Amino acid sequence: MTNPLLQAWQTPFGMPPFESIQASHFEEAFESALKQHQAEIDAISNNPEPPSFDNTLLALEASGDLLNQTSNVFFNLSASHSSPEIQSIERNLAPKLAAHSAALYLNAPLFERIDALNQAKHQLALDAESIRLIERYHLDFVRAGAKLQAQDRAIFAQNSEKLASLFTQFSQNVLADESSFCLTLTQDEELQGLPTFVRQAAQKLAKDRGLTEPHAHAFTLSRSSITPFMTFSERRDLRKTMWNAWCQRGEHAGAHNNEPIMKEILKLRLAQARLLGYKDFSEYALADTMAGSAQQARDLLLRVWQPARLKALQEREDLKKLSGLEDLEAWDWHYWTERVRKEKYDLNEAEIKPYLQLHKLMQAMFHVAHRLFGVNFKEVRNIAKYHDTVTGWEVTDANGQHVGLFLSDNFARSTKRSGAWMSTYRDPMHLSASVRPIVVNNNNFSQGPEGQPTLLSLDDARTLFHEFGHGLHGLLSQVRFPRLSGTSVLRDFVEFPSQVYENWLMQPAILKEFAVHAETGHPMPDALIQKILEAQTFNQGFSTVEYVSSALVDLALHETTDLDDLNFKAFEAQTLKAIDMPPAIGMRHRLPHFSHLFSSNSYASAYYVYMWAEVLAAAGLDAFLEAGDLFAPEPARKLYEHVYSAGNKQDPMQAYIAFRGRAPTVMPLLTKRGLA
Ligand SMILES: [Zn+2]
């Protein structure tokens, strides 16, 4: 038997041959890939020639092809279409990959070469992008412990390995709690208030889960299932059941409890940060960001927090007045908000939803990319797929040249983790030849009933555009080096291209053209568009408070150094009390299932980045509004040149200023959210 992961793929667009890949192939593939990469690294670090840009940095960039390819296939499947076998392989694999990565960064002769090049970088007649690559590698190595002495290096490497295993356990525990919960309703009185589209999606979900009771409707902890339930269900008791299940993910006593794992992760992070000379993990994490320090990040959050809190308190009064509830609870908020929305704006989700057909909104997101950047999208059906609901699109530029392949994986299923994300099967680069990317967007929408279009909520539609903004950031990359290409940018910059893209969805011209009623085929009426736009600032107190409170808890948690006695529930409560959290609003993510924080190091002490990027994004759209044209060529050209095609080839603040002509301010964000 041959292992398809170790063969050259003769498939259209070089897609992985999913139909012949079995979970059992991964172990052998990773083993070969790790060996191969290690041999490449050894050849670089043992090279008797003095270090040069080509024999060190370029060689490093060109190494690890098989490992990248195998990892991309594996981790995409593990996130989008997992299985018990994949999960078990992942648990075994995590420490091995971490050990491999630690060995790379703690390779002393290799670091000596990079260090020498870093010192000589301005004497080597290199272009700016190459110099930036040297600096980036140098920083990566230093941050991964390359300057540590012998014993500390070993401890650092061990800690990294332990962390990797803990991240996997954390994620798998959340997934276990999410997929084991299902609220099954069969009686009409249990379904009170739920509009037809919610019932239909719930019936489909029941069928998918193999529920055989007659009239079964299933509700799960996928956002696209729980959110409409919380919005429309008239049954306060059932809303409370759902809410509690949502909040308690990762917190249940027993095998899937995440608290010991979180504590262990925090201790290891603190130890790592201290080894590198930082006072806490937050200081370490924020040192390599646009914000630069936890204080800067917190300052921004607090500038938004005060007005958001006041707005949320007003919103709460409105809800209390309408509901007559003195004891308004968190599980009442969505439901009564929907009522107030209807009363204040004569607007409800059920009225909007038939206009938000997934396939039309995908056309809209392609159209915006075409108008801004001249790219075209054509569906391709001859590609290998890991799930039959995935669609593929070839992206070409204005001259018909291939730009990349875009995969769209939109629907929730029990084998997919929750949330929405962009990822790649192949990354863009231009070393010896041009390599164009294969980019995938994952969403968790509820698929429409058989033969009918999938309808989205406004939130879902925004998510669709958001992830496509990330997708374009990967697809349009014209950067030479993989380490600097596509979305490999600083954490608080990476959400800028995605958030700025969301803005185009809410433009009247776009809604008019693409928000077409699923049954009548009529475009969305002007009056409804007007109402939607007016309602945009509605409930922004709540949304902002829900998010900012989570971000502040994250920062505070990673500044905590006394971890032995840490009680997570008490810590949350205490931090929220200190900022005067308005009652009846929950954190957007409670700690025991806060995957941003505990499924990797990427967003730890960095959940603030969404708000940071939103400041950039709100001020970014203004460039087009000031020009009086949503697709004004000049800002579009600059946005392409300095942002979407530019990866991390220059300092992000300089890139932003090159696009926008000035540094960002917080005011456009406050205005956009109605908090000014
Ligand atoms: Zn994002």
Side-chain angles (χ1 to χ4, degrees), residues 312-371:
L313 289 171
Q314 280 169 19
E315 288 165 5
R316 184 164 171 270
E317 286 312 305
D318 289 344
L319 302 187
K320 278 169 69 176
K321 206 154 70 188
L322 188 69
S323 66
L325 290 170
E326 263 315 303
D327 62 336
L328 191 85
E329 298 282 358
W331 47 89
D332 299 317
W333 196 288
H334 287 88
Y335 176 77
W336 287 104
T337 292
E338 184 58 22
R339 295 289 189 93
V340 172
R341 191 201 312 267
K342 222 175 149 184
E343 188 167 276
K344 265 197 173 168
Y345 299 97
D346 185 25
L347 190 65
N348 69 72
E349 277 275 334
E351 184 190 353
I352 301 169
K353 199 147 180 159
Y355 290 99
L356 301 180
Q357 303 181 69
L358 172 61
H359 68 284
K360 293 295 292 180
L361 292 172
M362 284 182 66
Q363 283 175 18
M365 74 189 195
F366 292 152
H367 170 82
V368 171
H370 174 73
R371 295 286 308 272

Side-chain angles (χ1 to χ4, degrees), residues 31-287:
E31 211 167 290
S32 300
L34 287 168
K35 252 189 223 149
Q36 205 178 88
H37 192 216
Q38 192 56 52
E40 288 167 329
I41 293 166
D42 291 344
I44 300 167
S45 59
N46 299 332
N47 190 339
E49 299 287 318
S52 69
F53 182 80
D54 283 10
N55 75 16
T56 305
L57 271 307
L58 206 55
L60 273 174
E61 284 290 88
S63 72
D65 276 354
L66 182 62
L67 183 58
N68 291 334
Q69 177 179 290
T70 311
S71 301
N72 286 344
V73 177
F74 181 80
F75 288 105
N76 273 305
L77 287 181
S78 127
S80 306
H81 200 35
S82 194
S83 67
E85 291 106 297
I86 296 246
Q87 292 196 339
S88 139
I89 296 167
E90 193 173 356
R91 282 191 296 271
N92 293 329
L93 193 61
K96 284 185 201 160
L97 289 178
H100 178 75
S101 153
L104 169 69
Y105 290 116
L106 298 175
N107 181 325
L110 182 57
F111 179 64
E112 264 173 45
R113 297 177 78 89
I114 294 171
D115 199 32
L117 289 165
N118 188 49
Q119 286 177 37
K121 65 194 168 199
H122 296 300
Q123 282 88 57
L124 300 173
L126 294 169
D127 61 15
E129 201 176 321
S130 302
I131 292 175
R132 192 160 172 85
L133 184 72
I134 298 179
E135 290 168 346
R136 185 67 255 180
Y137 263 94
H138 191 261
L139 191 60
D140 287 345
F141 272 72
V142 171
R143 289 178 62 78
K147 283 186 166 170
L148 294 176
Q149 297 310 309
Q151 202 192 345
D152 288 347
R153 294 164 84 86
I155 297 174
F156 196 92
Q158 277 168 18
N159 289 352
S160 302
E161 260 178 74
K162 281 190 217 157
L163 276 168
S165 294
L166 292 162
F167 295 153
T168 310
Q169 282 179 41
F170 181 92
S171 305
Q172 293 188 356
N173 285 344
V174 176
L175 187 61
D177 279 0
E178 281 177 2
S179 55
S180 65
F181 178 88
C182 179
L183 179 70
T184 308
L185 305 178
T186 55
Q187 306 300 314
D188 272 339
E189 67 265 23
E190 294 170 329
L191 300 167
Q192 275 166 24
L194 300 178
T196 311
F197 75 87
V198 178
R199 293 181 189 217
Q200 282 174 342
Q203 276 177 311
K204 169 144 197 335
L205 207 52
K207 212 171 126 199
D208 291 348
R209 290 179 82 101
L211 301 175
T212 50
E213 294 110 301
H215 205 52
H217 294 69
F219 296 90
T220 68
L221 298 178
S222 159
R223 261 193 204 274
S224 64
S225 178
I226 183 174
T227 304
F229 187 86
M230 300 305 285
T231 306
F232 296 111
S233 172
E234 287 175 14
R235 289 284 298 267
R236 197 180 189 208
D237 58 333
L238 297 177
R239 293 201 308 262
K240 184 177 176 185
T241 303
M242 284 297 272
W243 176 259
N244 285 338
W246 177 253
C247 288
Q248 288 162 6
R249 287 169 298 149
E251 196 179 48
H252 299 287
H256 297 304
N257 187 288
N258 265 335
E259 286 163 326
I261 296 171
M262 292 147 67
K263 196 173 273 193
E264 189 69 24
I265 289 174
L266 291 172
K267 283 184 176 176
L268 289 166
R269 279 179 178 156
L270 179 60
Q272 299 289 73
R274 285 188 166 162
L275 279 172
L276 295 175
Y278 295 95
K279 71 175 172 9
D280 55 46
F281 182 79
S282 206
E283 190 180 71
Y284 164 73
L286 275 288

Side-chain angles (χ1 to χ4, degrees), residues 466-467 470 495 498 603 610:
H466 177 99
E467 293 310 327
H470 285 305
E495 296 299 330
S498 52
Y603 285 86
Y610 294 96

Side-chain angles (χ1 to χ4, degrees), residues 468-481:
F468 191 62
H470 285 305
L472 285 172
H473 198 197
L475 285 163
L476 300 180
S477 177
Q478 292 296 340
V479 179
R480 200 172 149 211
F481 306 115

